Amino acid sequence: ETGVTQSPTHLIKTRGQQVTLRCSSQSGHNTVSWYQQALGQGPQFIFQYYREEENGRGNFPPRFSGLQFPNYSSELNVNALELDDSALYLCASSATTGRNEKLFFGSGTQLSVL
Amino acid sequence: DQQVKQNSPSLSVQEGRISILNCDYTNSMFDYFLWYKKYPAEGPTFLISISSIKDKNEDGRFTVFLNKSAKHLSLHIVPSQPGDSAVYFCAVPYGGATNKLIFGTGTLLAVQP
C-alpha cells in the first residue's frame, strides 16, 4: 500500500510568483485535503476535494486554489505569493468524507517565500 | 479566534514517568476529539480519539480524558518512552467531518532517557 506522497519537499519562491504543489493520495482514497502549517502553529485547513469537486474550504483567499484529478491525485496552486505564505503545506487523504474517517498525511512541502 | 488551545508549547519528562498534555476548546457543540502526533520531517499521524459520550478512551499506553463541563481534554502517556518525543496536536472536526480538522497549536514533548 502506497502512502501519501508530496512533491517537491522544499521550494523557494519570490513574492508575487505562483507555485504549484502536488500530492498523490493513498491507494484507495478518493478524498484529499490540504493544510497550511505556519511556524509554531497547528495545521490550518485550506480545502478538501472529493471526487474532483471542492468539498469545503477554510478561511483562505481565492488565490489559493486546487484541483483533483481522476486518479485522485491533487494540486494546490497559490498565486501572487506573499511572505506570510511561507509554511509547511500538508496534504492528507482519506477513504471517504464520512464521519469517522481518519486523515493520512504526507510529509509536506516546505515553501519559503522571499 | 483559536477554537482549540494548547497552552503549553513544550513539555519535558523523564523516561518511564507520565506525560500529560492538555487541550482546551471553546465550542460546547464539539462532540468528537482527536490527537495527532508529528515527528520532524513527517506528516501528523492519528493517535487516539474520543467521543463526547465518553469521558475516557484508552489505547495501550495512551489514554485521553474528556471533561465536557470544563471544555478540556488531556492525553496521558504512561510510561513515557524516548520514542514518544514529538509534537502532539489535539483537533476537532470542522463541520462535523473527521477528515476536516481544526488543530491546536501543538505541544512539543521531549522524553529524556
Side-chain angles (χ1 to χ4, degrees):
Chain A
E1 186 178 79
T2 305
V4 179
T5 58
Q6 293 186 240
S7 63
T9 55
H10 295 83
L11 200 52
I12 299 174
K13 289 286 188 178
T14 304
R15 189 173 50 184
Q17 286 188 312
Q18 178 265 343
V19 68
T20 298
L21 310 182
R22 295 179 174 83
C23 172
S24 293
S25 61
Q26 184 164 310
S27 176
H29 287 183
N30 60 16
T31 303
V32 173
S33 305
W34 286 91
Y35 288 78
Q36 179 197 66
Q37 186 182 5
L39 194 63
Q41 301 297 314
Q44 276 199 288
F45 175 70
I46 303 175
F47 44 57
Q48 182 183 88
Y49 279 83
Y50 171 63
R51 294 184 174 178
E52 303 178 59
E53 299 285 331
E54 187 178 288
N55 181 45
R57 187 180 183 94
N59 189 25
F60 280 81
R63 60 188 185 84
F64 286 77
S65 63
L67 280 175
Q68 187 180 30
F69 300 99
N71 66 354
Y72 303 130
S73 66
S74 178
E75 288 182 354
L76 165 66
N77 299 289
V78 187
N79 293 322
L81 283 166
E82 300 177 359
L83 297 180
D84 285 349
D85 296 333
S86 295
L88 179 67
Y89 288 85
L90 294 161
C91 170
S93 72
S94 54
T96 70
T97 61
R99 169 96 178 138
N100 293 315
E101 283 301 320
K102 296 181 180 59
L103 288 174
F104 294 83
F105 283 88
S107 299
T109 294
Q110 185 67 53
L111 173 65
S112 298
V113 182
L114 306 178
Chain B
D1 182 25
Q2 198 75 15
Q3 299 187 65
V4 182
K5 302 176 186 178
Q6 294 177 258
N7 292 319
S8 297
S10 63
L11 176 67
S12 181
V13 299
Q14 289 295 122
E15 181 178 4
R17 305 296 290 270
I18 184 171
S19 296
I20 300 176
L21 297 97
N22 294 303
C23 178
D24 297 297
Y25 59 96
T26 57
N27 190 337
S28 58
M29 297 297 290
F30 291 147
D31 63 356
Y32 196 77
F33 306 87
L34 306 93
W35 285 92
Y36 276 76
K37 178 170 75 172
K38 186 180 185 300
Y39 292 117
E42 295 184 13
T45 56
F46 170 76
L47 185 59
I48 193 169
S49 62
I50 187 167
S51 165
S52 62
I53 62 172
K54 295 184 175 182
D55 54 18
K56 175 183 172 181
N57 189 28
E58 194 170 351
D59 183 1
R61 297 185 296 112
F62 302 90
T63 302
V64 57
F65 295 91
L66 176 62
N67 182 334
K68 292 184 287 291
S69 61
K71 299 198 197 73
H72 176 84
L73 63 155
S74 60
L75 175 68
H76 293 211
I77 306 174
V78 182
S80 301
Q81 300 174 354
D84 297 329
S85 298
V87 178
Y88 290 79
F89 295 100
C90 63
V92 297
Y94 178 90
T98 56
N99 61 0
K100 297 177 197 172
L101 297 175
I102 302 170
F103 285 88
T105 52
T107 296
L108 174 62
L109 173 66
V111 181
Q112 310 296 334

